[in-house]
Amino acid sequence: MSDVSLFEPDSVGDISLCNRVVMAPMTRNRADAQGVPLPCVATYYTQRATAGLIISEAVAVCRQGSGYSLIPGIWTDAQEAAWKKVIAAVHQAGGKFVLQLMHTGRIAHSSLTGETPVSASAIVPEGTVMAADFSWQPFETPVALDEAGIGAVVEAFARASARAIRAGADGVEIHGANGYLPDQFLRTGSNIRSDGWGGSPAGRSRLLLEITRAVSEAAGAARTGVRLSPWNPFNGMSDRNPGITFRDTAERLARFRLAYLHINEAGAPNPAPGPQQLTRDMARVFGGRVLINAGYDAERARLALEDRVANVAGVVFGVPFIANPDLVRRLKEDIPLAAADPATFYGGGEKGYTDYPAAP
Ligand SMILES: Cc1cc2nc3c(=O)[nH]c(=O)nc-3n(C[C@H](O)[C@H](O)[C@H](O)COP(=O)(O)O)c2cc1C
């Protein structure tokens, strides 16, 4: 990598990027009750196709893992067909598209999934969740998955990745971050198992590694990425020692020779201007390309790209992409960024979704 500008091409595995500005995965709840993305989803992503890479909103791999209302899935033929249209539109506009695969685990309500939520252990997160009738309900105590249940989850990730690739996706990202099922297994605050799926860092990362093995086989390792969030307290998450858990996990992921490791630094205790030290440690033991996220702007992005240890292939921008479909150009030409309206983040239609204009 000779040029470290955000606006130069690069690649992650088999996916070539025309620049290093990556759109973050962002749930926007613009799907129907069957988990089929609405037609405006294609418009939204196409408007943002100048990103070097778009990572889709989290897409549920099965009904059991579809814990939020009106989020899309990719376990039915109708869902797959809708994603095929979205991806074709993005490709037509010159963009690249990775589908983020999610199982929500305990962050769910039985009215949506049709069963009691599942997790690593029967530990209920604090707070409330929106049920199928859009009312807010307390979280239900999850059922700790047994061996058969774990096998079914791994299988669901594999089938969903095969569908994503068939729909034309350039790759898939395993959502191992932000308190969803693989993360519930990874971190000590939500996994108190004493069998082979808990206890040590090796036990706690086993579900993520099994999923990674299955997804790499179905999608190709050079088209598979993994997202982790070592510090993010979102969804009631905690870990006794993120340094040990996540360094160990990154090292175990190295053997798959994945397209990338995506590190969400949200909640990092020490707000550094460049990459966190743990991010650099994870990059070193992972040995492959890294996508880096949370709170980055053009200046911090420059510091991240210059950090040889972190091996950053792309800087991932979330909220800035919501209100600035032409974010790449705005960063490049130093055009002021529009502010996004949080009231329209989750659910609704075109308002606050496809109606943010490009700069004149
Ligand atoms: C509306 C919204 C939805 C999000 N949905 C997801 C998601 O589906 N998957 C995920 O991994 N992260 C999700 N995130 C987190 C973002 O990917 C990103 O980590 C966060 O916005 C911080 O990056 P930023 O400072 O550039 O916005 C979401 C964030 C927002 C604001």
Side-chain angles (χ1 to χ4, degrees), residues 325-344:
D326 54 343
L327 182 65
V328 178
R329 183 182 149 224
R330 293 202 197 200
L331 292 173
K332 194 171 184 177
E333 298 179 13
D334 213 11
I335 300 170
L337 300 188
D341 176 9
T344 48

Side-chain angles (χ1 to χ4, degrees), residues 31-37 57-63 65-66 70-83 99-102 160 163:
D32 68 17
Q34 280 70 49
V36 176
E57 62 204 282
V59 179
V61 296
C62 56
R63 185 167 180 226
S66 188
L70 306 181
I71 62 165
I74 186 148
W75 73 87
T76 71
D77 290 347
Q79 293 163 349
E80 181 184 325
W83 283 115
L99 198 93
Q100 189 186 52
L101 300 173
M102 172 170 76
R163 281 190 183 272

